[in-house]
Amino acid sequence: MTPPLEQAVAETILQRFESFYSRFLEITRGAKSRFEHSDWLGVQLAGRERIRLYDHHVGATTASIRTMMGEHHPSQAFLKQVKSAFSDLLPRCENFEVAESFFNSVYRRIFRHRNIRDENLYIHPFQSRGEHPDLGKLLRCYPTDASSLPRTLRQILGDYTFTLPYEDIQRDIFDVCRHLSESGPAELQEERFEIEMLKEVFYRNKAAYLVGLIRSRSGIYPFLLPMMNSGEALFIDTVIFEPDIASIIFGFARAYFMVYSPEPALHVAFLRQILPNKADYELYNAIGCQKHGKTELYRHYLQHLARSRDQFVIAPGIKGMVMSVFTLPSYDVVFKIIKDEFTPPKEVSHAQVKEKYRLVKQHDRVGRMADTQEFTNFEFPLERIHPELLDELKRVAPSALTITADKLVIRHLYTERKMTPLNLYLEQADEQQTRLALEEYGNAIKQLAAANIFPGDMLFKNFGVTRHGRVVFYDYDEICYMTECNFRQIPPPRYPEDELSSEPWYSVAPNDIFPEEFATFLLQKPLVREIMLALHKEMFEASFWQGLQQKIQGGHIEDVFPYRRRKRFCYQRGG
């Protein structure tokens, strides 16, 4: 029988978890009203509040347990009893996967990330739903074929309840059918198939996504219907059935979806069918359970270590002034450590760097900033650390390291999705690849700026190219809000001698930015100069940035589409 204190601690953790997740669902449930009322500022505020919720509740739970324990010093036997008591409670919890992560977070907060043992924590899951859980209560299913598809689509749309009418439902149904007929899988024109739709709507930015799949004898395809609100009515913006585009929609550089999910593991199990190349941690992140995503990432890391033999090495590319970055060649993640001392002329502090990463976590990343996970006392097998990497870490971040006979423990690090640094990509790219990459690079900067983010250091080395060819920003130590910047045009020289001087002939304040100077470090190669000036000439003019600032200050929130403009029905119709 579990002693009273151990039982009380376990029950407190579960009660506090249920309180946290109840509030999480409450915020999420409000997404429908925010979408219908075009409350786009409310969308942003709700997203930030939901992200902050977890740490707030973990902190409150930690304080409560410390009070309960008083002067009691927890022994190893006590810790095992607490976990055992919590495990006994889990079967009554419908969201037991995330509850395990909450337990881990409380434990690590109380014991300052020490005694990280499997008998104390849920390093491995305690219980499982199996590979194929019953998803019936999440779904509505619609058998159909090409000839009856318009009628089926009308039924699908009618089964979702919105307070706004459709702008032109017949037009939208026609566009979906036309697009599937012209570009969709050929077998859908020849055989019967079934559409399975999740009952809950996925909300993000200014869009609501109806998420489902097409199941035919030949295979499974995504079936996503992004819906927009014109202010007075709804319309379907496009239909997504391509796996690569669906993967981008649920990508690591996007804001988290809001989808009402009392049992998020079930939504992950469904999404796994249409996004087979994504690990579970990415899917949990995508639906807003990023803290459990962190747990799943660590489990995924341990599994990969067990089945691989390569060594951790310094990441390819130009070494950063603030971060030391390394990777495991066979693994799709990079590890980033803040250096003890920064390479001049960097003047930011460690606290400021961490605050920049928190800003990115809570901001709308508009598909252009990589999501990160923050870890404390992360363990690596020492034998898997390449000697050159170990020497590098000892040199640049000795205060962050603890080295034992068989482990390297890093006190604080970030993980991030692995990408090809844009500067390395451009070195190997042909002219067409260069043009596409630079188009993406300029678009990334413009979209970040429209979302009130100025990257600061815009060198190519600070951007990565994903496997889908998208360019994403990943170096955050110099980012700031656009509204904090003072964009200026360089004043003309007063005298001919001014242009020869090593010092500027004009005053420069700390927040002054001169877009004309971007050309000095971005347009050194003739081909790059030609392409950038053809595609993104406005980036080098102060008036462009000032115009964006005015829109942001006026309350404008930009539309963000995770697919190409040519995919939009209004574009195809010439609208």
Side-chain angles (χ1 to χ4, degrees):
M1 182 175 178
T2 304
L5 181 57
E6 288 89 323
Q7 185 70 34
V9 169
E11 290 177 351
T12 297
I13 295 174
L14 186 59
Q15 289 166 3
R16 294 300 184 108
F17 165 72
E18 290 173 341
S19 175
F20 149 70
Y21 205 70
S22 175
R23 177 61 183 146
F24 180 95
L25 291 176
E26 183 182 347
I27 295 172
T28 303
R29 192 186 291 112
K32 181 176 185 290
S33 176
R34 290 187 287 271
F35 171 72
E36 292 174 333
H37 291 88
S38 303
D39 182 10
W40 310 133
L41 177 59
V43 168
Q44 295 184 345
L45 295 176
R48 292 171 195 167
E49 182 185 359
R50 199 178 67 163
I51 288 171
R52 294 169 182 161
L53 204 60
Y54 188 93
D55 282 339
H56 170 76
H57 280 263
V58 168
T61 308
T62 300
S64 178
I65 291 174
R66 283 177 173 153
T67 299
M68 292 171 60
M69 293 174 61
E71 299 299 320
H72 179 82
H73 182 72
S75 64
Q76 180 61 24
F78 175 88
L79 299 176
K80 290 177 67 174
Q81 287 277 12
V82 171
K83 182 186 175 185
S84 177
F86 193 81
S87 296
D88 289 342
L89 297 172
L90 281 177
R92 82 179 196 199
C93 179
E94 63 180 359
N95 186 12
F96 58 84
E97 295 90 351
V98 181
E100 289 181 3
S101 287
F102 191 85
F103 180 95
N104 289 351
S105 297
V106 171
Y107 177 94
R108 292 172 73 97
R109 187 78 61 91
I110 290 174
F111 298 106
R112 303 185 186 280
H113 306 275
R114 294 189 292 271
N115 295 316
I116 308 303
R117 305 177 185 177
D118 197 23
E119 57 262 39
N120 300 340
L121 287 144
Y122 295 97
I123 294 176
H124 303 287
F126 173 72
Q127 62 188 76
S128 169
R129 298 174 191 263
E131 289 188 26
H132 304 290
D134 182 7
L135 305 181
K137 62 184 177 182
L138 268 64
L139 300 173
R140 285 189 285 259
C141 301
Y142 306 86
T144 190
D145 57 26
S147 62
S148 59
L149 183 57
R151 184 171 63 253
T152 303
L153 289 172
R154 182 175 287 276
Q155 182 183 353
I156 288 173
L157 297 178
D159 284 339
Y160 292 93
T161 57
F162 294 98
T163 58
L164 291 175
Y166 283 90
E167 190 174 84
D168 187 340
I169 193 169
Q170 194 61 37
R171 177 201 65 192
D172 292 348
I173 289 172
F174 173 82
D175 282 337
V176 171
C177 293
R178 174 186 54 79
H179 197 58
L180 283 172
S181 174
E182 293 175 354
S183 306
E187 61 264 29
L188 301 189
Q189 307 304 315
E190 303 165 358
E191 60 185 57
R192 287 189 63 80
F193 54 92
E194 185 171 69
I195 300 176
E196 298 177 8
M197 300 299 297
L198 288 168
K199 295 176 183 178
E200 297 294 341
V201 180
F202 287 58
Y203 296 93
R204 186 175 64 198
N205 301 124
K206 294 182 177 182
Y209 293 77
L210 309 186
V211 175
L213 61 79
I214 295 174
R215 190 185 301 276
S216 73
R217 289 195 299 269
S218 306
I220 294 176
Y221 303 92
F223 186 68
L224 313 181
L225 297 174
M227 300 178 61
M228 308 294 292
N229 178 357
S230 68
E232 298 178 352
L234 306 179
F235 61 92
I236 298 175
D237 199 50
T238 189
V239 57
I240 305 295
F241 51 82
E242 303 92 337
D244 281 353
I245 300 178
S247 181
I248 291 171
I249 289 173
F250 284 86
F252 63 90
R254 300 274 166 200
Y256 304 134
F257 279 108
M258 289 210 173
V259 53
Y260 187 78
S261 185
E263 298 177 77
L266 297 182
H267 275 110
V268 167
F270 179 86
L271 293 172
R272 204 183 289 137
Q273 299 177 85
I274 60 174
L275 301 165
N277 293 325
K278 288 193 180 295
D280 280 3
Y281 73 84
E282 297 175 279
L283 300 177
Y284 276 107
N285 288 344
I287 62 174
C289 296
Q290 77 280 2
K291 289 295 186 177
H292 183 63
K294 177 178 172 180
T295 299
E296 290 291 340
L297 170 59
Y298 189 69
R299 291 169 177 170
H300 189 267
Y301 157 78
L302 292 177
Q303 291 168 3
H304 186 85
L305 275 186
R307 61 175 182 259
S308 62
R309 293 291 178 266
D310 52 338
Q311 288 190 305
F312 291 89
V313 297
I314 298 170
I318 299 172
K319 292 182 179 180
M321 297 180 181
V322 171
M323 293 282 198
S324 182
V325 185
F326 64 95
T327 188
L328 191 65
S330 63
Y331 198 43
D332 207 19
V333 169
V334 297
F335 303 85
K336 305 174 72 170
I337 309 174
I338 303 176
K339 294 180 177 180
D340 284 2
E341 297 181 1
F342 303 151
T343 307
K346 293 286 186 179
E347 296 180 349
V348 294
S349 67
H350 282 68
Q352 288 172 323
V353 173
K354 292 178 181 178
E355 182 56 35
K356 302 289 187 184
Y357 275 76
R358 279 191 288 270
L359 184 158
V360 171
K361 193 74 176 175
Q362 297 176 12
H363 199 84
D364 180 8
R365 294 186 297 280
V366 295
R368 297 302 186 176
M369 290 191 290
D371 194 13
T372 60
Q373 291 285 12
E374 186 176 6
F375 286 90
T376 300
N377 290 343
F378 199 101
E379 295 184 357
F380 299 87
L382 191 58
E383 64 177 12
R384 302 285 294 273
I385 305 295
H386 192 282
E388 184 182 358
L389 170 60
L390 188 59
D391 289 343
E392 168 81 2
L393 296 178
K394 287 178 177 178
R395 183 175 61 83
V396 302
S399 71
L401 310 181
T402 299
I403 302 174
T404 67
D406 61 348
K407 291 179 183 176
L408 168 65
V409 182
I410 297 181
R411 180 169 54 84
H412 179 264
L413 62 75
Y414 297 96
T415 62
E416 203 170 82
R417 181 69 173 272
K418 184 187 292 183
M419 292 174 274
T420 303
L422 179 57
N423 61 309
L424 298 186
Y425 181 90
L426 292 173
E427 288 176 6
Q428 305 296 324
D430 59 28
E431 183 173 345
Q432 178 63 14
Q433 291 170 329
T434 298
R435 181 174 297 276
L436 291 174
L438 291 176
E439 180 182 14
E440 271 285 295
Y441 165 78
N443 289 340
I445 290 174
K446 291 173 182 177
Q447 288 167 9
L448 286 172
N452 199 21
I453 290 290
F454 180 68
D457 190 343
M458 296 197 298
L459 291 173
F460 296 144
K461 71 181 181 67
N462 297 323
F463 293 77
V465 183
T466 73
R467 65 187 179 91
H468 298 296
R470 290 183 61 82
V471 171
V472 173
F473 185 54
Y474 56 56
D475 194 326
Y476 305 142
D477 56 87
E478 288 194 20
I479 67 169
C480 61
Y481 292 116
M482 281 279 293
T483 47
E484 296 174 350
C485 302
N486 182 31
F487 294 100
R488 294 176 55 192
Q489 185 174 354
I490 297 176
R494 300 162 301 179
Y495 317 104
E497 295 79 10
D498 282 345
E499 295 187 273
L500 303 176
S501 173
S502 59
E503 298 294 329
W505 58 89
Y506 46 89
S507 62
V508 181
N511 64 335
D512 282 349
I513 296 171
F514 300 90
E516 295 162 80
E517 295 179 338
F518 299 165
T520 304
F521 52 83
L522 292 179
L523 307 184
Q524 296 178 351
K525 295 183 178 180
L527 179 60
V528 172
R529 171 179 286 273
E530 176 189 338
I531 294 172
M532 286 295 292
L533 291 180
L535 297 176
H536 303 297
K537 182 179 180 181
E538 63 273 24
M539 277 176 42
F540 306 97
E541 300 169 1
S543 58
F544 166 74
W545 299 90
Q546 291 164 354
L548 284 176
Q549 278 184 317
Q550 291 170 6
K551 292 177 71 174
I552 294 167
Q553 289 163 346
H556 177 76
I557 297 176
E558 196 71 23
D559 291 325
V560 178
F561 300 100
Y563 38 82
R564 299 283 187 183
R565 186 174 58 139
R566 61 177 176 268
K567 282 287 294 181
R568 303 189 64 204
F569 290 152
C570 63
Y571 177 81
Q572 295 169 15
R573 292 192 298 263

